[in-house]
Each structure stands twice: as C-alpha cells, then as structure tokens.
Amino acid sequence: MENVILRGEDIHKSFGQKEVLKGITIDIRKSELLVIMGPSGCGKSVLIKNLIGLMKPDRGRIFFENEEVTNYTEKEWFKVRPKLGMLFQGGALFDYMTVFENVAFPLERRGERFNAIKEKVHWILKKLGLEGTENLMPNELSGGMRRRVALARTLVANPLLTFLDEPTTGLDPVTTANIDKLILFLKKEFDTTFAVITHDVKSAFRIADRIVLLFGGNIVFDGTVDEMKRSDNPYVRQFVEGKAEGPMKIEV
Ligand SMILES: Nc1ncnc2c1ncn2[C@@H]1O[C@H](COP(=O)(O)OP(=O)(O)O)[C@@H](O)[C@H]1O
Ligand SMILES: [Mg+2]
C-alpha cells in the first residue's frame, strides 16, 4: 500500500510462557497521528520495539517504506534508523549533560558538523518554547520542560516517522494538555507521522487521527476518535469509561 510507511504483519512475541503479542497486524500511514492505547502491561512498548527492530518478533513480517526489514541485520537497520524518531517510555535525559548537549546528542552521533548542529538545536528549542535553557542541567527544569527537551531530542533530526512512548504519563493534566497541543503543532509544522502510545483516553481523543486499542495480545479496536466514542465494542466501552468490570480482565 502506497501511503503506508510502516507495516507490521501478524507479529507474534512471547517471553517464556507469556504470549504478549498474538498476531498483530498494524499499518502506520503517511502523515497520520496513530495512537496505540491499552492497559499497562498489554504489550504496547513491546509492539513498537518489534516494529523498529529493537526486538525480534517470533513470527510475522515488518515492512518499512514497502521494503521488508524483518530480517535486517543491525548494520542494515542503521540505514533505516535516521528516518525514525523514538521517545522511550520514561524518556530520560542524560542528567550530566546540559539541555544543549542532550538535544545535540543524536546529531553528534551522526557525525554532523558543529555549526549545523548548533543551528538545528537552537531552532528546535525555539519551536518547543525552550529558548534560553541551553546551558541548564535537566535537574534545573520542571517535569514538563524535561519532557519538551526529550521531545526536542527526538525531533531534532527531523524523522519521517516518530514514536512517542507515553510522552505525558506522570504529568499533571494541564501540562499534559500543553504537551498534546505541542505534539499537534509539531505534526503540522513538520508534516511528519506519529505513532503515540498512551493509556490516557482524554489525551488520545485530543491528538489522534486514528486509535488502535490493544488487549490480550490482539488489536480489539481500530478506528477514528468519533468511531471510538460511538463504538459499542465492549472493550472500548470498558477502557473509555474506565470500568473494572468488562471483557478486559486485568489482575492487580
Ligand atoms: N524484555 C522483556 N523480557 C521479558 N518480559 C518482557 C520484556 N519486555 C516486556 N515484557 C513483558 O511483556 C508485557 C508487555 O510489556 P510492555 O509492552 O512494556 O507493556 P505496556 O503495554 O505497558 O507498554 C509485560 O508483561 C512485560 O512484563
Ligand atoms: Mg509501555
């Protein structure tokens, strides 16, 4: 399919006896903001790690820009990775580096020249409302600012496809709303494609073009925000309304 950037086909992944992904098929389409939702521990992070070659699926195939990458070697993935942005869950900054050094890191690793790096870092910090923080250390920043620096580090290399793994988890509702607004702004500004993991329904409804809901190793819903709001799918209802009772059996 032409407008699909990344496709996972029948992805299976187990850890020992535990079958986490039971044959997931997922497309990420050009310029969309796809939200991947589901309860904690359902396999959201494992899914994206499989999609970007950080974990190998037990079964299934992965295509990036219509080329099969399933059995790529680490060296072959090197060619693909510059096109991918990844904000890991927890998104830790290097706390012994300044904001500037943190954001410059992916460009330096790529061997870019200092002047070009400087220009790009200043540009992205400005876009993210972080002007003047260049010389601060992460522990001098608020939680929301740290997330924005982590976003800046993810986006500075202008990726074609950006994965954000729980970019707002642990933030207060107002900071979350601001980060969501920023994500929408960045999507427009860069015309880039996002796959965002969250378990925050409110946040998902604000930012998503399309939502997939993961549970029990399968995708139990795939649709737009409106479709999700109107859906009578029992998984959707339980998750959206945050109910203990329903088809999602979760042990606490
Ligand atoms: N490297 C690993 N080794 C063993 N089990 C793992 C590993 N990574 C994840 N898991 C397990 O897979 C399940 C899904 O984890 P994860 O994808 O992190 O969930 P979430 O949906 O919260 O992101 C969990 O039960 C987790 O313990
Ligand atoms: Mg996770």
Side-chain angles (χ1 to χ4, degrees):
M1 274 207 286
E2 209 166 81
N3 67 340
V4 172
I5 296 186
L6 192 142
R7 177 177 173 81
E9 208 175 83
D10 196 31
I11 303 295
H12 291 255
K13 186 71 184 176
S14 296
F15 298 104
Q17 295 297 309
K18 190 168 181 156
E19 205 180 352
V20 177
L21 305 176
K22 298 181 182 169
I24 300 260
T25 295
I26 188 170
D27 285 334
I28 303 173
R29 301 170 195 149
K30 174 111 195 65
S31 297
E32 76 172 341
L33 194 156
L34 173 70
V35 165
I36 300 169
M37 263 206 291
S40 298
C42 75
K44 303 180 295 296
S45 296
V46 167
L47 174 62
I48 62 168
K49 283 179 190 160
N50 276 274
L51 294 178
I52 62 175
L54 296 177
M55 269 184 191
K56 202 161 166 47
D58 301 330
R59 213 166 93 204
R61 303 166 77 188
I62 298 152
F63 299 85
F64 183 70
E65 293 190 301
N66 293 315
E67 189 170 321
E68 180 159 7
V69 298
T70 321
N71 296 311
Y72 263 24
T73 60
E74 199 41 46
K75 204 171 157 195
E76 287 170 309
W77 271 106
F78 269 135
K79 290 185 300 186
V80 175
R81 290 249 166 75
K83 296 185 180 182
L84 300 173
M86 176 75 196
L87 177 64
F88 287 101
Q89 191 167 356
L93 300 172
F94 302 113
D95 40 348
Y96 54 91
M97 287 186 190
T98 64
V99 168
F100 180 91
E101 289 163 344
N102 265 284
V103 178
F105 185 76
L107 302 177
E108 270 169 8
R109 203 173 36 182
R110 247 162 53 169
E112 294 201 18
R113 285 174 41 247
F114 186 70
N115 281 341
I117 292 176
K118 214 166 133 184
E119 206 169 292
K120 286 180 189 174
V121 171
H122 285 301
W123 176 78
I124 193 83
L125 287 176
K126 194 171 169 202
K127 286 280 177 223
L128 287 157
L130 291 162
E131 256 176 321
T133 64
E134 285 83 350
N135 297 319
L136 297 178
M137 302 303 284
N139 67 9
E140 296 176 289
L141 306 173
S142 69
M145 282 167 97
R146 276 200 291 273
R147 283 317 156 89
R148 274 186 282 150
V149 174
L151 268 175
R153 190 177 58 186
T154 306
L155 290 164
V156 72
N158 202 8
L160 176 71
L161 171 57
T162 303
F163 290 89
L164 307 177
D165 193 349
E166 303 204 6
T168 57
T169 297
L171 298 177
D172 65 81
V174 175
T175 307
T176 295
N178 275 306
I179 298 275
D180 285 348
K181 199 172 142 192
L182 189 61
I183 290 170
L184 287 175
F185 165 78
L186 294 168
K187 181 182 173 244
K188 218 167 100 193
E189 189 80 358
F190 293 83
D191 185 34
T192 179
T193 302
F194 281 98
V196 184
I197 294 183
T198 181
H199 47 67
D200 181 337
V201 177
K202 232 178 170 170
S203 182
F205 282 1
R206 273 197 293 255
I207 61 175
D209 294 315
R210 188 161 66 94
I211 299 175
V212 296
L213 178 60
L214 212 64
F215 184 73
N218 296 298
I219 289 178
V220 294
F221 173 86
D222 179 346
T224 64
V225 172
D226 276 344
E227 285 163 353
M228 188 172 229
K229 285 180 178 166
R230 281 188 273 114
S231 172
D232 54 13
N233 174 325
Y235 291 100
V236 170
R237 297 273 45 100
Q238 184 185 359
F239 196 75
V240 169
E241 287 157 27
K243 293 187 292 198
E245 306 305 323
M248 288 184 174
K249 304 269 184 279
I250 296 167
E251 286 172 32
V252 290

